[in-house]
Amino acid sequence: MYATNEYADIEQKILNEERLTREDGIRLFKCHDIAWLGNMADIVRKKKCGDIVYYNVNCHVNLTNICTSHCKFCAFGKDKDSKGAYAFSVEEAINVVRDAKKDPNLAGLHVVSGLHPDWSFEDYLERLQALHNEFPELYLKGFTGVEITHFSKISGLSIEEVLKKLKAAGLQAIAGGGAEILSDRVRTELCPKKATADEWIEVARTAHKLGIKTNASMLYGHIETIEERVDHLIKLRNLQDETGGLQTFICFPFLPKNTELGQNVRQTSMWDDLRTMAISRLMLDNIKNIKAYWVMLTVPVAQIALGFGANDIDGTVHKETILHDAGATSPTALSEDYIIKIIRDAGRIPAACDCNFNILRRFD
Amino acid sequence: MTEEEIKKARAKAEQGERLSLQDALALYEDNDLLFLASCARKMKEKKSGKNVFYNVNRHINLTNICTSGCPLCAFQCEEGDKRGYVMETEDVARVLEDAKKVRNLGEIHIVSALHPTKDFDYYLNVVRQVKAALPDVDIKAFTPVEVVHFSQMTGKSVKEVLKILKEAGLSSLPGGGAEILNDRVRKEICPKKATTAQWIETIKAAHELGIRTNCSIMYGHIETIEERLQHLFTLRDIQDETGGFQAFIAFPFHPANTQLSHLKRVGSWEDMKMIAMSRLILDNIDHVKAFWIMLTTPLAQLALGFGADDLDGTIGEEKIIHEAGAKTGTGTTRERLRKLITEAGMIPVERDTFYNPIKEAE
Ligand code: SF4
Ligand code: SF4
């Protein structure tokens, strides 16, 4: 028994591998014993995922930062005539990757972009196809539920048709972003113009039906309530019960700097980041992997997160612009050796994987 | 380590029983960070309940010119170096004028390099000067390394030196300079300063005179894990004998700008592991301090969940660590520290040097 009496019932459930309820989740957010929370999440992690910690060596390609959506928490999206706005041509996109390919271990691409006012679905598709043709050996993960909803709207095609075309162009997995908080109250306030909660879920559901795996995420630490965080996790858990197609869950703390919302919101503490990680591990009993995304969390938090339920640390990301515009202070890329060391120091086994969690190399 | 040994050590940690070096090595190897944290947190609650202490203090580093030239040090320089400085009476007076304006200032903390020409009287006069300016403020000053240096300069025993300092107004000693109490290690990281035996002798002399002290470790350089853990047991043995340690502080080694800059700063995992393991091993020391200026505030806050019960102070000037590339700000406010503590679900308690709560702080 590790818990104080107050939480003994939840501890029992966790040790018996019983599902936690919404009320349990809300209570866990009130728990101040972070060591206990972490310990519980770590016990679950050990059972579900063993000692391997995944990372990947990938390159982020953000095709354009011009975006019509103007989400209040976004520091990346710009208007067409703003300073620093860009939109890659096919060649420019290829050049970014060619540069990143100097790293012989580069295994894949992560492609996410703004919703460009003038680009058609074909414009995105053309770039994806070109990247795939030029670098067939690199795995391709990309496009969030938000972008895919947008493609469907601008092309008149159904979500399913859009996904089929993306898959045919080489897409192997869908990125987890854009979920934010799956609550229409929150979305109306922060990102009214982009995919609704239902639309985001529909994209994931359709992708799973087509055999495309997706990731899921949560952007927390802005205007959402604790209840909304828990409800968000439960929505993802329900979806996963239905389809089983979610591979990993990523917690994104909101980085207020350079965003419209930033004036009124303070950045989350490490304490909040770690308890949110642990509670996500505990609530999402049917999602195998939990990612500690070091680019946003910073390296020290990400390393400790490995004790709070995480078994994935993302990668040695090249060219991350979205978050660094939002004032992320972490370096823009970590060397693979360093990532291996961070994982090893935490007593775990580093394994490089592709976007579908196939292990490429492991370091026992 | 056999599985049996690890199991035994885990059971002891869980029960809060006294650990042996073997147990500590087993727990270290087991590397179950959150398990350690859970046990350490329990021990913390036994010792100080939900209280977390902090104080309002000011640091004074009198000089950075040092005869010791320790390879681990980023603070010191040689005489004649343009970075060198020495605070004279007027400079100290200026800091004290400023300190007088601080509400409820509890402590002045003075540590400095071993200056080649400043004699013992210089240091002694600073103590007198502080005492005269701030009679109600506790003076925590001079590590055993400095006290040994004073003893060598004056030819007086460390005990005599301490007595004189006490008479002048010194109330306690900080715990620095312990590094790793192992002469193999000291030969490499700080060959010229107080040896293991001298450090221990000074501490014991202080405790005998009724001068309370802290103690510390500087980890993450060239020491082996066994040396690191053994150091904690050395401190525990001293405490069994004297009972004079108030708090323990774990300093991660910051390699930047030192002669050991080829080494890498250990990660956050190791930092938290040290906090939890120290809390468990040092079962006879009341307080474990998470020194936010060295750990960064987020890690110091997290440490409160891993067994620490003290966040140190609001600190005016801290030169030593910033030379070594610590990326934290040089001061913080009472409000900020209190908020960090309440956010962690604990009760902030403003304290004096001796951990007496200061009432009117709330
Ligand atoms: S979050 Fe995405 S959709 Fe919203 S403004 Fe930023 S880039 Fe555009
Ligand atoms: S650690 Fe202390 S004694 Fe050693 S060089 Fe630095 S200031 Fe001098």
Side-chain angles (χ1 to χ4, degrees), chain A residues 1-2 32-36 38-39 42 46 266 269-271 274 299-301 303-304 306-308 338 345-348, chain B residues 10 14 31-35 37-38 41-42 264 267-269 272 298-299 301-302 304-306 339 342-346:
Chain A
M1 186 66 57
Y2 302 102
H32 286 302
D33 191 345
I34 200 157
W36 172 74
N39 199 13
D42 199 44
K46 259 181 235 156
R266 269 193 59 213
S269 62
M270 183 171 187
W271 193 277
L274 290 171
V299 177
V301 183
Q303 190 187 27
I304 298 262
L306 296 178
F308 283 77
Y338 189 52
D345 285 350
R348 312 270 279 280
Chain B
R10 284 177 69 107
E14 236 178 307
N31 205 10
D32 192 346
L33 181 62
L34 272 298
F35 167 79
S38 294
R41 155 94 180 201
K42 263 198 244 165
K264 257 209 151 110
S268 51
W269 187 275
M272 290 303 113
L299 281 174
Q301 187 191 33
L302 186 63
L304 302 180
F306 283 65
K339 192 166 178 299
T342 34
E343 199 190 19
M346 291 181 234

Side-chain angles (χ1 to χ4, degrees), chain B residues 63-77 111-115 143 145-146 149 177 179 189-194 218 259 320:
Chain B
T63 176
N64 63 348
I65 301 170
C66 194
T67 55
S68 200
C70 305
L72 69 85
C73 182
F75 172 66
Q76 49 106 17
C77 61
V111 286
S112 316
L114 314 179
H115 194 278
T143 65
V145 169
E146 294 171 84
H149 172 69
E179 323 307 1
I189 62 171
C190 53
K192 290 203 204 150
K193 75 182 184 191
M218 163 88 72
Q259 291 167 48
I320 294 189

Side-chain angles (χ1 to χ4, degrees), chain A residues 217-236:
Chain A
S217 66
M218 170 166 78
L219 180 79
Y220 65 93
H222 39 83
I223 62 152
E224 86 290 359
T225 63
I226 290 304
E227 286 75 12
E228 282 163 341
R229 281 192 203 181
V230 174
D231 287 335
H232 175 89
L233 296 173
I234 290 178
K235 272 190 189 154
L236 294 176

